[in-house]
Amino acid sequence: MSVPGVVEEAAPPRSAAAPLWRDRRFGRFWAGQSVSQFGDRISELALPLIAVGALHASTVAVSALTALVWAPNLLAVLLGAWVDQRRGKRQLMVAADLVRAAALLSLPLAYAFGTVTLGQLFVVAVVTGAAGVLFNTAYAPFFAHLVPRSAYLEANSRLSASRSASYLGGPALGGLLVQLLGAPVAVAADAASFVASAVLVGRIRVDDPPTAAGQEPMLRRARAGLALVVRHPVLRASLGCCSTVNFFTFVSTGVLLLFANRELGLSAGTIGFATGVAAVGSLLGAVLAPRVARLIGMGRTAALGAVLFPAPLALLALADGPSWARAGVLAGAEFLSGAGVMLFDINLNSLQASVVPDELRSRVSGAFSTVNYGIRPLGALAGGLLGSALGLREALVIAAVGGALSVLWLLPSPIPGMRTVVSR
């Protein structure tokens, strides 16, 4: 499926691929993803505000809205198996963007006629979440054929830098739009960002990734993807490490705001400032990730990030003194954690992309999403239980130590010895 009225940009021969900074195809893709990331930050703020402000939803309803956005990831392993059997991964990504745009646009339209309901919000959450899973499972093989293998690290660094920048400026932009236009109308900005992404991605042509051979039942294909992850030493260690660190990160997510407000006595504005500092750390980490990898290798950089991402939470247990000191400890911990997650994600994602066979990329991506996103609610629940039973400070220390121990998945694997992506 091509975007109507848009001229597609042909794929150059792989041997003639331009340096990444001169590659117009990657430039279009990067621009589309950057715009979409900023749009996402707007909707993350606006959708709950529609529920709370316009519909007077309860706390349970707002929590359910957030859960419904993530719920389709539990079926990502099956959707990935389906995507692997389909040609035209780019067309699937364009369709996913347009579906998300249409779903979001239904909200300001319904609001204009006074018919927006909580049920509609729930449907929009599920539809946009499912379309996001479709986009992400098609993304893996598309990325691998858009970007030369030698440029995986640089490309992931640029894409992650845009994501970090969106967390730095996106919430402020979203707040301004909500203030000026109202939450339902502000959602239209996110819809426009998906249309822009669809147009930009629709203009890029890549060699179509190969589809999985044969017509096996979907469940059997999904099992094959999971089996590859379990058997492959790099993928198995990556998934174990990612799942562990995500679990303990969400343990901390459930208690961090309460701890900062109740035990550190910080205001909402100060806590928001610390969150902004985390985005600065992420942006710096995204820029530095390739340079650190060149010094010590991609595998060791990922292992360093696996520790640096969760460990700074332990510093919060030492926070004391005047309010500026407590705020400084929180901001410093968030900054280091933000830098660590980028060192971890960018390098590990690049290594993973280099070892997955083309015909299995979508189902492996789906398997990772199902486990990684499926474990996050369990971590948040565990955080609440630990905070209630042991105390908020103690729960944060457990999250820091448990998350840092995720590196034990990597150390016995081949990953620390991998200085660069696997060549074929």
Side-chain angles (χ1 to χ4, degrees), residues 301-395:
T301 304
L304 172 64
V307 176
L308 187 59
F309 175 20
L313 291 170
L315 296 175
L316 296 177
L318 307 176
D320 204 356
S323 59
W324 63 264
R326 299 193 300 272
V329 172
L330 177 61
E334 291 280 17
F335 178 87
L336 291 173
S337 181
V341 70
M342 288 299 151
L343 295 179
F344 176 66
D345 275 353
I346 291 169
N347 285 277
L348 199 60
N349 286 343
S350 300
L351 290 175
Q352 288 170 195
S354 70
V355 301
V356 179
D358 277 341
E359 66 275 10
L360 293 175
R361 289 189 187 277
S362 291
R363 70 185 84 175
V364 168
S365 174
F368 266 76
S369 293
T370 295
V371 177
N372 267 331
Y373 292 120
I375 205 167
R376 291 181 179 190
L378 299 179
L381 177 61
L385 295 174
L386 288 171
S388 299
L390 304 177
L392 300 176
R393 194 179 299 264
E394 291 76 7

Side-chain angles (χ1 to χ4, degrees), residues 38 41-42 45 166-179:
F38 274 88
R41 304 293 82 78
I42 295 170
L45 178 65
S166 77
Y167 278 101
L168 186 60
L173 176 61
L176 179 62
L177 289 174
V178 169
Q179 183 84 19

Side-chain angles (χ1 to χ4, degrees), residues 218-244:
M218 184 182 297
L219 285 176
R220 185 176 298 175
R221 297 198 303 271
R223 283 198 300 268
L226 286 169
L228 174 66
V229 173
V230 172
R231 292 195 311 265
H232 197 289
V234 171
L235 298 178
R236 180 176 62 246
S238 296
L239 182 58
C241 182
C242 291
S243 301
T244 303

Side-chain angles (χ1 to χ4, degrees), residues 131-222:
V133 175
L134 174 62
F135 185 95
N136 291 335
T137 51
Y139 173 104
F142 178 84
F143 174 87
H145 282 254
L146 171 67
V147 178
R149 184 176 292 268
S150 60
Y152 281 179
L153 181 62
E154 183 185 354
N156 277 319
S157 173
R158 295 188 182 193
L159 291 164
S160 295
S162 293
R163 184 170 183 269
S164 299
S166 77
Y167 278 101
L168 186 60
L173 176 61
L176 179 62
L177 289 174
V178 169
Q179 183 84 19
L180 294 176
L181 306 174
V185 180
V187 168
D190 192 14
S193 77
F194 284 123
V195 173
S197 174
V199 171
L200 289 166
V201 172
R203 296 187 63 181
I204 304 167
R205 290 190 62 190
V206 298
D207 297 331
D208 209 26
T211 59
Q215 292 295 326
E216 291 181 306
M218 184 182 297
L219 285 176
R220 185 176 298 175
R221 297 198 303 271

Side-chain angles (χ1 to χ4, degrees), residues 92-120:
L92 290 175
M93 294 166 68
V94 169
D97 274 339
L98 295 177
V99 166
R100 287 185 282 190
L104 290 169
L105 276 176
S106 72
L107 291 172
L109 290 174
Y111 182 77
F113 289 98
T115 58
V116 66
T117 65
L118 192 59
Q120 181 185 0

